[in-house]
Amino acid sequence: MINKDNTSHIDSAVIHAFKDWGYYPHRGLFERDIVEAACAWLKDKNPDLLSKSWTEKEPGVPLAVFSAIHKGHHPVAAIATDKRVLEIAADLMGAPVYIWATKVT
């Protein structure tokens, strides 16, 4: 979360690594059963029905981006729209954010 003085709760080394790598793996944010439920839900779905356009696919990956995630009522949306995820994303970006799409890996 960004503090009132525009400083972050996330270590500056983490922010620099995010800027260099383009991602930040935050382990332990969610309980294992929540993550497993989201994975099972996603694996059970037809990626062609979840993808909204060809831009959400990559060679050999039927669903690379899951867009409009904030409108969903399922385990993946629950993770992607969790307040803690938004706070971490805001810290990494240095400004308030919203999450419209998520990378599926």
Side-chain angles (χ1 to χ4, degrees):
M1 173 194 275
I2 301 289
N3 297 320
K4 290 181 182 178
D5 63 353
N6 251 1
T7 60
S8 171
H9 290 180
I10 292 182
D11 186 87
S12 63
V14 171
I15 294 171
H16 289 298
F18 168 74
K19 289 179 180 179
D20 288 344
W21 302 334
Y23 65 92
Y24 168 61
H26 188 99
R27 297 191 183 274
L29 187 62
F30 295 98
E31 297 293 326
R32 182 178 204 89
D33 59 332
I34 293 172
V35 175
E36 287 175 349
C39 290
W41 181 90
L42 191 58
K43 287 178 182 178
D44 190 45
K45 301 300 174 197
N46 181 339
D48 291 328
L49 298 177
L50 291 178
S51 65
K52 293 162 188 60
S53 78
W54 65 271
T55 61
E56 297 178 348
K57 299 178 180 189
E58 294 176 357
V61 181
L63 182 66
V65 175
F66 192 177
S67 66
I69 194 74
H70 62 292
K71 294 181 179 181
H73 300 285
H74 47 75
V76 177
I79 289 174
T81 60
D82 185 282
K83 181 181 176 183
R84 296 169 297 172
V85 173
L86 294 172
E87 289 174 351
I88 291 169
D91 285 348
L92 293 171
M93 299 305 295
V97 299
Y98 71 95
I99 296 177
W100 186 82
T102 187
K103 185 77 172 164
V104 179
T105 55

XYZ file of all heavy atoms in Angstrom:
827
model
N 0.841 -1.171 0.000
C 0.000 0.000 0.000
C 0.890 1.239 0.000
O 1.899 1.300 0.666
C -0.894 -0.010 1.238
C -1.685 1.261 1.389
S -2.436 1.444 3.010
C -3.916 0.524 2.785
N 0.507 2.239 -0.748
C 1.242 3.489 -0.784
C 0.869 4.301 0.464
O -0.292 4.486 0.778
C 0.892 4.305 -2.053
C 1.214 3.507 -3.310
C 1.582 5.646 -2.049
C 2.661 3.334 -3.602
N 1.870 4.770 1.189
C 1.629 5.604 2.365
C 1.255 7.015 1.928
O 1.442 7.390 0.774
C 2.886 5.651 3.236
C 3.244 4.292 3.769
O 2.376 3.523 4.161
N 4.533 3.977 3.762
N 0.762 7.809 2.851
C 0.372 9.185 2.539
C 1.532 10.012 2.007
O 1.340 10.951 1.246
C -0.240 9.851 3.766
C -1.596 9.290 4.122
C -2.187 9.974 5.327
C -3.517 9.323 5.656
N -4.127 9.898 6.840
N 2.751 9.659 2.393
C 3.915 10.403 1.923
C 4.482 9.820 0.627
O 5.603 10.086 0.248
C 4.988 10.479 3.009
C 5.526 9.108 3.398
O 4.990 8.083 2.927
O 6.492 9.068 4.184
N 3.662 9.017 -0.071
C 4.020 8.409 -1.364
C 5.130 7.376 -1.262
O 5.807 7.107 -2.253
C 4.391 9.473 -2.395
C 3.321 9.600 -3.453
O 2.305 8.925 -3.405
N 3.561 10.474 -4.405
N 5.347 6.797 -0.098
C 6.312 5.720 0.041
C 5.564 4.392 0.102
O 4.391 4.335 0.439
C 7.179 5.894 1.308
O 6.331 5.892 2.448
C 7.981 7.176 1.231
N 6.241 3.331 -0.202
C 5.630 2.017 -0.292
C 5.992 1.154 0.899
O 7.041 1.333 1.505
C 6.124 1.335 -1.573
O 5.728 -0.003 -1.604
N 5.113 0.189 1.196
C 5.425 -0.808 2.214
C 6.334 -1.895 1.652
O 6.906 -2.658 2.404
C 4.148 -1.453 2.743
C 3.333 -0.525 3.575
N 2.156 -0.899 4.133
C 3.519 0.757 3.959
C 1.645 0.106 4.815
N 2.455 1.122 4.716
N 6.437 -1.974 0.350
C 7.286 -2.972 -0.291
C 8.699 -2.414 -0.398
O 8.897 -1.250 -0.745
C 6.747 -3.352 -1.683
C 5.428 -4.109 -1.521
C 7.743 -4.195 -2.460
C 4.820 -4.581 -2.806
N 9.661 -3.258 -0.119
C 11.064 -2.880 -0.165
C 11.434 -2.334 -1.548
O 10.994 -2.855 -2.569
C 11.902 -4.123 0.172
C 13.365 -3.806 0.281
O 13.808 -3.424 1.359
O 14.053 -3.950 -0.753
N 12.260 -1.317 -1.578
C 12.640 -0.700 -2.856
C 13.375 -1.682 -3.765
O 13.264 -1.585 -4.992
C 13.491 0.547 -2.622
O 14.704 0.210 -1.981
N 14.084 -2.645 -3.201
C 14.765 -3.652 -4.023
C 13.747 -4.500 -4.792
O 13.981 -4.877 -5.940
C 15.651 -4.541 -3.159
N 12.607 -4.796 -4.151
C 11.543 -5.558 -4.809
C 10.964 -4.748 -5.957
O 10.724 -5.265 -7.051
C 10.440 -5.952 -3.798
C 9.236 -6.538 -4.496
C 10.999 -6.924 -2.773
N 10.751 -3.461 -5.737
C 10.202 -2.598 -6.786
C 11.169 -2.508 -7.958
O 10.749 -2.601 -9.119
C 9.858 -1.205 -6.211
C 8.721 -1.343 -5.192
C 9.496 -0.232 -7.319
C 8.424 -0.097 -4.396
N 12.448 -2.384 -7.681
C 13.446 -2.335 -8.762
C 13.482 -3.659 -9.522
O 13.582 -3.673 -10.749
C 14.830 -1.976 -8.224
C 14.941 -0.558 -7.782
N 14.782 0.514 -8.634
C 15.160 -0.026 -6.558
C 14.912 1.640 -7.965
N 15.143 1.337 -6.693
N 13.402 -4.773 -8.803
C 13.385 -6.084 -9.472
C 12.147 -6.213 -10.349
O 12.222 -6.724 -11.476
C 13.427 -7.202 -8.431
N 11.010 -5.745 -9.870
C 9.784 -5.775 -10.668
C 9.959 -4.968 -11.954
O 9.576 -5.400 -13.040
C 8.601 -5.222 -9.862
C 7.389 -4.963 -10.701
C 6.609 -6.017 -11.167
C 7.029 -3.679 -11.033
C 5.490 -5.788 -11.941
C 5.915 -3.430 -11.811
C 5.146 -4.490 -12.270
N 10.566 -3.812 -11.843
C 10.786 -2.973 -13.032
C 11.733 -3.656 -14.014
O 11.576 -3.528 -15.224
C 11.307 -1.599 -12.626
C 10.232 -0.768 -11.947
C 10.746 0.583 -11.515
C 9.634 1.376 -10.850
N 10.068 2.679 -10.382
N 12.710 -4.388 -13.510
C 13.654 -5.089 -14.377
C 13.036 -6.337 -15.016
O 13.235 -6.600 -16.191
C 14.900 -5.512 -13.598
C 15.793 -4.336 -13.238
O 15.636 -3.249 -13.828
O 16.651 -4.511 -12.345
N 12.298 -7.109 -14.234
C 11.796 -8.405 -14.688
C 10.385 -8.352 -15.255
O 9.981 -9.214 -16.019
C 11.827 -9.425 -13.559
C 13.182 -9.662 -12.961
C 14.400 -9.490 -13.568
C 13.468 -10.093 -11.637
N 15.416 -9.789 -12.691
C 14.866 -10.174 -11.497
C 12.685 -10.421 -10.551
C 15.482 -10.563 -10.323
C 13.296 -10.817 -9.382
C 14.687 -10.883 -9.291
N 9.581 -7.394 -14.773
C 8.207 -7.285 -15.250
C 7.202 -8.123 -14.486
O 6.038 -8.199 -14.852
N 7.624 -8.768 -13.430
C 6.714 -9.546 -12.590
C 7.249 -9.590 -11.163
O 8.409 -9.286 -10.913
C 6.514 -10.963 -13.124
C 7.778 -11.806 -13.095
C 8.076 -12.602 -11.996
C 8.670 -11.803 -14.162
C 9.232 -13.372 -11.952
C 9.824 -12.565 -14.131
C 10.094 -13.345 -13.029
O 11.241 -14.101 -12.992
N 6.364 -9.967 -10.241
C 6.742 -10.080 -8.846
C 6.002 -11.261 -8.237
O 4.789 -11.207 -8.078
C 6.397 -8.795 -8.087
C 6.485 -8.923 -6.576
C 7.683 -9.254 -5.958
C 5.369 -8.722 -5.787
C 7.761 -9.376 -4.585
C 5.441 -8.841 -4.399
C 6.640 -9.166 -3.817
O 6.718 -9.293 -2.446
N 6.709 -12.344 -7.915
C 6.046 -13.490 -7.275
C 5.955 -13.286 -5.765
O 6.959 -13.281 -5.074
C 6.976 -14.656 -7.623
C 8.330 -14.023 -7.761
C 8.095 -12.618 -8.249
N 4.776 -13.078 -5.266
C 4.571 -12.877 -3.827
C 4.030 -14.181 -3.254
O 2.850 -14.481 -3.382
C 3.587 -11.733 -3.580
C 3.481 -11.346 -2.151
N 4.150 -10.265 -1.633
C 2.799 -11.889 -1.115
C 3.879 -10.152 -0.345
N 3.059 -11.131 -0.008
N 4.873 -14.946 -2.641
C 4.472 -16.250 -2.102
C 3.790 -16.111 -0.745
O 4.136 -15.267 0.051
C 5.679 -17.158 -1.982
C 6.311 -17.449 -3.318
C 7.327 -18.557 -3.210
N 7.975 -18.784 -4.475
C 7.498 -19.569 -5.418
N 6.360 -20.194 -5.246
N 8.149 -19.738 -6.553
N 2.800 -16.972 -0.529
C 2.154 -17.043 0.762
C 1.030 -16.049 0.992
O 0.520 -15.957 2.104
N 0.632 -15.311 -0.020
C -0.433 -14.334 0.146
C -1.788 -15.007 0.359
O -2.604 -14.539 1.137
C -0.490 -13.407 -1.069
C -1.439 -12.220 -0.983
C -1.037 -11.277 0.151
C -1.447 -11.461 -2.309
N -2.003 -16.133 -0.332
C -3.266 -16.863 -0.223
C -3.022 -18.255 0.336
O -1.978 -18.856 0.107
C -3.931 -16.983 -1.600
C -4.348 -15.668 -2.158
C -3.553 -15.008 -3.076
C -5.531 -15.073 -1.755
C -3.925 -13.782 -3.581
C -5.913 -13.853 -2.251
C -5.107 -13.198 -3.167
N -4.019 -18.758 1.040
C -3.954 -20.119 1.551
C -3.910 -21.099 0.374
O -4.490 -20.842 -0.680
C -5.182 -20.423 2.419
C -5.289 -19.556 3.656
C -4.179 -19.824 4.652
O -3.733 -20.983 4.769
O -3.744 -18.863 5.317
N -3.249 -22.208 0.562
C -3.075 -23.212 -0.480
C -4.409 -23.675 -1.076
O -4.539 -23.817 -2.282
C -2.287 -24.408 0.061
C -2.015 -25.463 -0.962
C -1.180 -26.602 -0.361
N -0.467 -27.272 -1.391
C 0.736 -26.961 -1.843
N 1.373 -25.945 -1.324
N 1.311 -27.634 -2.801
N -5.431 -23.885 -0.239
C -6.709 -24.384 -0.746
C -7.400 -23.375 -1.659
O -8.083 -23.749 -2.614
C -7.639 -24.811 0.389
C -7.958 -23.701 1.373
O -7.135 -22.785 1.544
O -9.048 -23.757 1.968
N -7.204 -22.081 -1.428
C -7.775 -21.050 -2.291
C -7.110 -21.088 -3.665
O -7.773 -21.024 -4.702
C -7.628 -19.657 -1.645
C -8.495 -19.586 -0.391
C -7.966 -18.548 -2.623
C -8.289 -18.352 0.443
N -5.793 -21.221 -3.680
C -5.047 -21.281 -4.940
C -5.385 -22.566 -5.698
O -5.602 -22.542 -6.915
C -3.529 -21.173 -4.678
C -2.737 -21.360 -5.957
C -3.200 -19.838 -4.020
N -5.465 -23.672 -4.978
C -5.804 -24.934 -5.628
C -7.218 -24.893 -6.220
O -7.452 -25.422 -7.307
C -5.660 -26.092 -4.648
C -4.203 -26.414 -4.356
C -4.012 -27.483 -3.293
O -4.992 -27.870 -2.605
O -2.857 -27.929 -3.141
N -8.156 -24.257 -5.536
C -9.519 -24.123 -6.064
C -9.525 -23.288 -7.337
O -10.227 -23.620 -8.310
C -10.439 -23.496 -5.017
N -8.749 -22.225 -7.365
C -8.666 -21.388 -8.565
C -8.037 -22.161 -9.727
O -8.519 -22.087 -10.858
C -7.870 -20.123 -8.274
N -6.984 -22.904 -9.448
C -6.341 -23.721 -10.496
C -7.298 -24.773 -11.034
O -7.405 -24.960 -12.250
C -5.080 -24.388 -9.952
S -3.724 -23.262 -9.636
N -8.002 -25.444 -10.136
C -8.956 -26.482 -10.561
C -10.083 -25.871 -11.385
O -10.491 -26.434 -12.406
C -9.517 -27.200 -9.336
N -10.586 -24.719 -10.969
C -11.658 -24.049 -11.710
C -11.187 -23.714 -13.118
O -11.890 -23.965 -14.101
C -12.097 -22.777 -10.978
C -13.213 -22.065 -11.672
C -14.547 -22.259 -11.488
C -13.091 -21.048 -12.669
N -15.267 -21.435 -12.309
C -14.386 -20.676 -13.049
C -12.009 -20.414 -13.281
C -14.641 -19.700 -14.009
C -12.258 -19.442 -14.247
C -13.553 -19.097 -14.595
N -9.985 -23.146 -13.223
C -9.454 -22.735 -14.519
C -9.192 -23.938 -15.424
O -9.526 -23.915 -16.611
C -8.177 -21.917 -14.324
C -7.627 -21.191 -15.534
C -8.652 -20.234 -16.116
C -6.365 -20.434 -15.154
N -8.631 -25.006 -14.876
C -8.348 -26.210 -15.669
C -9.621 -26.880 -16.164
O -9.616 -27.540 -17.195
C -7.522 -27.203 -14.848
C -6.094 -26.772 -14.661
C -5.329 -27.768 -13.810
C -3.904 -27.305 -13.593
N -3.146 -28.215 -12.743
N -10.708 -26.696 -15.430
C -11.986 -27.307 -15.784
C -12.711 -26.552 -16.908
O -13.666 -27.068 -17.476
C -12.880 -27.376 -14.542
C -14.126 -28.207 -14.763
O -14.008 -29.311 -15.338
O -15.214 -27.748 -14.355
N -12.271 -25.345 -17.222
C -12.947 -24.507 -18.214
C -12.352 -24.702 -19.605
O -11.184 -25.029 -19.762
C -12.854 -23.028 -17.833
C -13.460 -22.706 -16.494
C -14.933 -23.060 -16.455
C -15.509 -22.882 -15.083
N -16.763 -23.550 -14.896
N -13.163 -24.465 -20.594
C -12.720 -24.480 -21.984
C -12.071 -23.129 -22.271
O -12.752 -22.106 -22.260
C -13.918 -24.709 -22.908
C -13.535 -24.750 -24.365
O -12.488 -24.246 -24.766
N -14.398 -25.345 -25.171
N -10.753 -23.096 -22.555
C -10.076 -21.813 -22.768
C -10.649 -21.026 -23.944
O -10.629 -19.801 -23.934
C -8.616 -22.189 -23.008
C -8.566 -23.656 -23.127
C -9.845 -24.225 -22.637
N -11.196 -21.725 -24.928
C -11.785 -21.015 -26.067
C -13.019 -20.225 -25.652
O -13.332 -19.186 -26.246
C -12.142 -21.995 -27.188
C -10.907 -22.585 -27.841
O -9.875 -21.876 -27.904
O -10.963 -23.737 -28.290
N -13.725 -20.697 -24.637
C -14.901 -19.980 -24.160
C -14.532 -18.829 -23.222
O -15.258 -17.841 -23.132
C -15.861 -20.939 -23.451
C -16.433 -22.061 -24.315
C -17.309 -22.984 -23.478
C -17.214 -21.489 -25.497
N -13.403 -18.958 -22.538
C -12.957 -17.889 -21.640
C -12.290 -16.743 -22.391
O -12.418 -15.587 -21.996
C -11.989 -18.434 -20.588
C -12.564 -19.371 -19.539
C -11.454 -19.860 -18.618
C -13.662 -18.708 -18.742
N -11.577 -17.054 -23.461
C -10.882 -16.001 -24.197
C -11.893 -15.190 -25.000
O -12.851 -15.724 -25.552
C -9.805 -16.579 -25.104
O -10.372 -17.375 -26.107
N -11.677 -13.902 -25.030
C -12.605 -13.009 -25.692
C -12.122 -12.583 -27.072
O -12.895 -12.054 -27.865
C -12.870 -11.805 -24.808
C -13.620 -12.225 -23.542
C -13.542 -11.204 -22.455
C -14.121 -11.718 -21.164
N -13.479 -12.895 -20.613
N -10.846 -12.797 -27.369
C -10.316 -12.477 -28.698
C -8.986 -13.200 -28.898
O -8.416 -13.753 -27.955
C -10.118 -10.969 -28.863
O -8.939 -10.543 -28.211
N -8.488 -13.162 -30.110
C -7.221 -13.816 -30.421
C -6.067 -13.176 -29.658
O -5.030 -13.798 -29.456
C -6.955 -13.776 -31.921
C -6.770 -12.372 -32.443
C -7.746 -11.537 -32.905
C -5.546 -11.642 -32.508
N -7.205 -10.330 -33.257
C -5.858 -10.367 -33.038
C -4.225 -11.929 -32.184
C -4.884 -9.385 -33.239
C -3.256 -10.961 -32.399
C -3.601 -9.702 -32.920
N -6.224 -11.950 -29.198
C -5.136 -11.269 -28.487
C -4.872 -11.874 -27.115
O -3.853 -11.569 -26.496
C -5.441 -9.766 -28.321
O -6.642 -9.615 -27.560
C -5.593 -9.087 -29.664
N -5.766 -12.721 -26.636
C -5.582 -13.348 -25.331
C -4.889 -14.702 -25.437
O -4.751 -15.398 -24.444
C -6.939 -13.493 -24.637
C -7.570 -12.146 -24.353
C -8.933 -12.254 -23.715
O -9.510 -13.343 -23.689
O -9.415 -11.218 -23.232
N -4.468 -15.047 -26.637
C -3.812 -16.337 -26.856
C -2.371 -16.107 -27.293
O -2.026 -15.057 -27.806
C -4.568 -17.135 -27.918
C -5.993 -17.420 -27.519
C -6.723 -18.171 -28.601
C -8.156 -18.432 -28.158
N -8.844 -19.327 -29.047
N -1.547 -17.108 -27.071
C -0.163 -17.109 -27.531
C 0.091 -18.451 -28.198
O -0.644 -19.418 -27.944
C 0.797 -16.916 -26.340
C 0.674 -15.562 -25.688
C 1.552 -15.420 -24.443
O 2.224 -16.399 -24.050
O 1.550 -14.326 -23.856
N 1.110 -18.554 -29.042
C 1.393 -19.848 -29.676
C 1.556 -20.955 -28.635
O 2.340 -20.831 -27.692
C 2.703 -19.596 -30.421
C 2.715 -18.119 -30.673
C 2.024 -17.511 -29.481
N 0.751 -21.988 -28.759
C 0.820 -23.121 -27.846
C 0.151 -22.882 -26.501
O 0.189 -23.745 -25.634
N -0.443 -21.716 -26.317
C -1.110 -21.388 -25.051
C -2.543 -20.960 -25.383
O -2.753 -19.881 -25.919
C -0.381 -20.250 -24.299
C -1.067 -19.950 -22.983
C 1.082 -20.597 -24.086
N -3.517 -21.802 -25.063
C -4.889 -21.486 -25.434
C -5.494 -20.287 -24.709
O -6.380 -19.631 -25.211
C -5.669 -22.756 -25.108
C -4.827 -23.487 -24.126
C -3.407 -23.097 -24.397
N -5.012 -19.988 -23.516
C -5.481 -18.807 -22.779
C -4.293 -18.213 -22.043
O -3.893 -18.690 -20.994
C -6.594 -19.174 -21.785
C -7.193 -18.000 -21.008
C -7.936 -17.044 -21.946
C -8.136 -18.499 -19.930
N -3.716 -17.150 -22.603
C -2.553 -16.521 -22.004
C -2.942 -15.336 -21.123
O -2.271 -15.032 -20.156
C -1.590 -16.058 -23.092
N -4.037 -14.680 -21.484
C -4.523 -13.522 -20.739
C -6.003 -13.733 -20.468
O -6.760 -14.106 -21.354
C -4.314 -12.215 -21.542
C -4.919 -11.027 -20.821
C -2.836 -11.983 -21.802
N -6.418 -13.501 -19.255
C -7.808 -13.647 -18.851
C -8.319 -12.233 -18.562
O -8.025 -11.655 -17.531
C -7.874 -14.532 -17.608
C -9.238 -15.017 -17.218
C -9.381 -15.870 -16.161
C -10.379 -14.624 -17.888
C -10.621 -16.338 -15.761
C -11.629 -15.077 -17.512
C -11.746 -15.929 -16.452
N -9.049 -11.654 -19.519
C -9.468 -10.260 -19.376
C -10.822 -10.128 -18.696
O -11.533 -11.108 -18.493
C -9.491 -9.568 -20.740
O -10.480 -10.144 -21.554
N -11.161 -8.895 -18.374
C -12.392 -8.549 -17.657
C -12.514 -9.368 -16.367
O -13.595 -9.734 -15.947
C -13.607 -8.719 -18.548
N -11.392 -9.632 -15.749
C -11.337 -10.475 -14.555
C -12.129 -9.874 -13.398
O -12.693 -10.587 -12.576
C -9.865 -10.738 -14.147
C -9.768 -11.865 -13.141
C -9.183 -9.505 -13.637
C -9.985 -13.215 -13.714
N -12.219 -8.573 -13.362
C -12.931 -7.900 -12.276
C -14.439 -8.129 -12.315
O -15.136 -7.880 -11.345
C -12.637 -6.404 -12.310
C -13.100 -5.729 -13.564
N -12.517 -5.974 -14.791
C -14.085 -4.856 -13.778
C -13.139 -5.259 -15.707
N -14.095 -4.567 -15.119
N -14.962 -8.626 -13.434
C -16.400 -8.873 -13.555
C -16.791 -10.293 -13.155
O -17.964 -10.607 -13.081
C -16.848 -8.622 -14.992
C -16.730 -7.171 -15.404
C -17.220 -6.981 -16.821
C -17.137 -5.534 -17.232
N -17.630 -5.333 -18.591
N -15.806 -11.144 -12.919
C -16.082 -12.541 -12.640
C -16.499 -12.823 -11.211
O -16.191 -12.062 -10.288
N -17.206 -13.928 -11.052
C -17.606 -14.421 -9.730
C -17.155 -15.871 -9.628
O -17.967 -16.787 -9.683
C -19.119 -14.293 -9.534
C -19.596 -12.886 -9.630
N -19.386 -11.970 -8.623
C -20.236 -12.218 -10.620
C -19.897 -10.804 -8.983
N -20.415 -10.929 -10.191
N -15.842 -16.059 -9.554
C -15.237 -17.382 -9.516
C -13.907 -17.287 -8.768
O -13.468 -16.180 -8.443
C -15.056 -17.933 -10.936
C -14.441 -16.942 -11.879
N -13.104 -16.617 -11.859
C -15.002 -16.194 -12.861
C -12.855 -15.716 -12.804
N -13.991 -15.436 -13.417
N -13.286 -18.414 -8.469
C -12.055 -18.395 -7.654
C -10.904 -17.577 -8.243
O -10.156 -16.940 -7.486
C -11.667 -19.873 -7.547
C -12.936 -20.623 -7.759
C -13.737 -19.784 -8.721
N -10.753 -17.546 -9.554
C -9.670 -16.767 -10.160
C -9.931 -15.275 -9.964
O -9.030 -14.511 -9.604
C -9.487 -17.117 -11.652
C -8.419 -16.241 -12.287
C -9.131 -18.593 -11.821
N -11.161 -14.854 -10.168
C -11.518 -13.446 -9.965
C -11.341 -13.046 -8.504
O -10.909 -11.926 -8.209
C -12.952 -13.195 -10.421
N -11.672 -13.954 -7.590
C -11.524 -13.652 -6.167
C -10.072 -13.350 -5.813
O -9.793 -12.442 -5.021
C -12.044 -14.819 -5.324
N -9.146 -14.063 -6.412
C -7.723 -13.804 -6.170
C -7.294 -12.507 -6.845
O -6.668 -11.652 -6.239
C -6.862 -14.990 -6.654
C -7.071 -16.194 -5.732
C -5.387 -14.593 -6.725
C -6.380 -17.462 -6.201
N -7.644 -12.357 -8.120
C -7.189 -11.202 -8.896
C -7.739 -9.885 -8.365
O -7.116 -8.837 -8.524
C -7.567 -11.369 -10.362
N -8.902 -9.916 -7.734
C -9.512 -8.678 -7.248
C -9.381 -8.499 -5.737
O -9.946 -7.561 -5.186
C -11.000 -8.611 -7.645
O -11.688 -9.733 -7.072
C -11.163 -8.609 -9.153
N -8.628 -9.360 -5.098
C -8.408 -9.239 -3.657
C -7.704 -7.909 -3.359
O -6.768 -7.515 -4.062
C -7.554 -10.414 -3.175
C -7.377 -10.435 -1.685
O -6.544 -9.651 -1.180
O -8.068 -11.228 -1.024
N -8.160 -7.239 -2.325
C -7.610 -5.930 -1.959
C -6.096 -5.976 -1.776
O -5.378 -5.043 -2.142
C -8.296 -5.433 -0.683
C -7.828 -4.090 -0.212
C -8.523 -3.675 1.065
C -7.946 -2.365 1.561
N -8.534 -1.966 2.830
N -5.584 -7.065 -1.238
C -4.132 -7.175 -1.013
C -3.368 -7.191 -2.329
O -2.276 -6.619 -2.436
C -3.814 -8.423 -0.195
C -4.415 -8.360 1.206
C -4.334 -9.688 1.911
N -5.135 -10.673 1.179
C -5.158 -11.961 1.442
N -4.422 -12.448 2.421
N -5.918 -12.780 0.752
N -3.933 -7.837 -3.350
C -3.293 -7.858 -4.671
C -3.252 -6.444 -5.241
O -2.237 -6.007 -5.788
C -4.018 -8.830 -5.626
C -3.477 -8.720 -7.038
C -3.904 -10.259 -5.116
N -4.356 -5.725 -5.099
C -4.404 -4.346 -5.590
C -3.404 -3.459 -4.862
O -2.751 -2.606 -5.480
C -5.816 -3.787 -5.435
C -6.884 -4.454 -6.295
C -8.261 -3.956 -5.909
C -6.608 -4.233 -7.766
N -3.252 -3.659 -3.559
C -2.294 -2.859 -2.796
C -0.860 -3.150 -3.236
O -0.057 -2.231 -3.388
C -2.464 -3.108 -1.301
C -3.736 -2.513 -0.748
C -3.999 -2.873 0.707
O -3.282 -3.734 1.269
O -4.930 -2.289 1.286
N -0.549 -4.417 -3.433
C 0.798 -4.778 -3.895
C 1.043 -4.203 -5.285
O 2.105 -3.640 -5.559
C 0.995 -6.305 -3.877
C 1.034 -6.804 -2.428
C 2.263 -6.711 -4.620
C 0.952 -8.312 -2.296
N 0.053 -4.335 -6.168
C 0.199 -3.792 -7.524
C 0.396 -2.281 -7.481
O 1.226 -1.740 -8.226
C -1.022 -4.156 -8.364
N -0.345 -1.595 -6.620
C -0.182 -0.148 -6.488
C 1.219 0.197 -5.992
O 1.832 1.154 -6.472
C -1.240 0.420 -5.549
N 1.725 -0.566 -5.032
C 3.086 -0.343 -4.548
C 4.105 -0.513 -5.668
O 5.022 0.288 -5.815
C 3.423 -1.311 -3.419
C 2.761 -0.950 -2.099
O 2.221 0.164 -1.976
O 2.798 -1.795 -1.187
N 3.933 -1.556 -6.449
C 4.882 -1.828 -7.529
C 4.825 -0.761 -8.626
O 5.844 -0.396 -9.200
C 4.623 -3.213 -8.127
C 4.904 -4.390 -7.195
C 4.406 -5.685 -7.826
C 6.381 -4.483 -6.852
N 3.623 -0.271 -8.905
C 3.453 0.729 -9.962
C 3.674 2.159 -9.470
O 3.872 3.062 -10.260
C 2.056 0.610 -10.572
C 1.782 -0.733 -11.223
S 2.996 -1.211 -12.473
C 2.740 0.041 -13.699
N 3.589 2.347 -8.145
C 3.778 3.684 -7.595
C 2.554 4.571 -7.725
O 2.652 5.795 -7.644
N 1.385 3.966 -7.943
C 0.139 4.719 -8.104
C -1.039 3.771 -7.905
O -0.884 2.552 -8.049
C 0.078 5.340 -9.495
N -2.213 4.302 -7.607
C -3.390 3.435 -7.493
C -3.656 2.700 -8.810
O -3.391 3.239 -9.894
C -4.525 4.409 -7.184
C -3.852 5.614 -6.617
C -2.513 5.692 -7.306
N -4.151 1.472 -8.713
C -4.393 0.657 -9.909
C -5.737 -0.065 -9.793
O -6.334 -0.120 -8.725
C -3.294 -0.408 -10.105
C -1.938 0.223 -10.278
C -3.273 -1.393 -8.951
N -6.187 -0.595 -10.917
C -7.256 -1.575 -10.922
C -6.781 -2.705 -11.818
O -5.905 -2.514 -12.669
C -8.593 -0.989 -11.386
C -8.650 -0.663 -12.858
C -9.175 -1.572 -13.767
C -8.178 0.550 -13.335
C -9.221 -1.281 -15.114
C -8.228 0.847 -14.682
C -8.757 -0.064 -15.567
O -8.798 0.220 -16.895
N -7.315 -3.884 -11.637
C -6.875 -5.026 -12.435
C -8.006 -5.412 -13.382
O -9.084 -5.782 -12.951
C -6.455 -6.197 -11.526
C -5.255 -5.767 -10.696
C -6.147 -7.436 -12.372
C -4.761 -6.800 -9.702
N -7.741 -5.288 -14.680
C -8.718 -5.606 -15.705
C -8.446 -6.986 -16.291
O -9.354 -7.695 -16.702
C -8.680 -4.555 -16.816
C -9.753 -4.737 -17.826
C -11.041 -4.330 -17.725
C -9.637 -5.375 -19.090
N -11.745 -4.687 -18.837
C -10.903 -5.327 -19.708
C -8.590 -5.990 -19.758
C -11.151 -5.863 -20.943
C -8.840 -6.514 -21.016
C -10.096 -6.456 -21.591
N -7.187 -7.384 -16.340
C -6.803 -8.662 -16.914
C -5.698 -9.277 -16.081
O -4.981 -8.574 -15.368
C -6.334 -8.491 -18.357
N -5.555 -10.583 -16.179
C -4.487 -11.270 -15.484
C -3.796 -12.227 -16.448
O -4.423 -12.780 -17.342
C -5.008 -12.015 -14.237
O -3.888 -12.544 -13.509
C -5.942 -13.142 -14.585
N -2.522 -12.397 -16.274
C -1.749 -13.351 -17.062
C -2.018 -14.734 -16.511
O -2.028 -14.957 -15.305
C -0.264 -13.013 -16.964
C 0.636 -13.835 -17.818
C 0.569 -13.383 -19.245
C 1.636 -14.107 -20.058
N 1.407 -14.002 -21.468
N -2.275 -15.675 -17.387
C -2.545 -17.053 -16.977
C -1.291 -17.880 -17.233
O -0.825 -17.974 -18.351
C -3.743 -17.655 -17.761
C -3.994 -19.078 -17.344
C -4.980 -16.794 -17.562
N -0.727 -18.414 -16.140
C 0.471 -19.245 -16.295
C 0.302 -20.553 -15.558
O -0.524 -20.700 -14.716
C 1.723 -18.534 -15.737
O 1.486 -18.174 -14.391
C 2.035 -17.305 -16.543
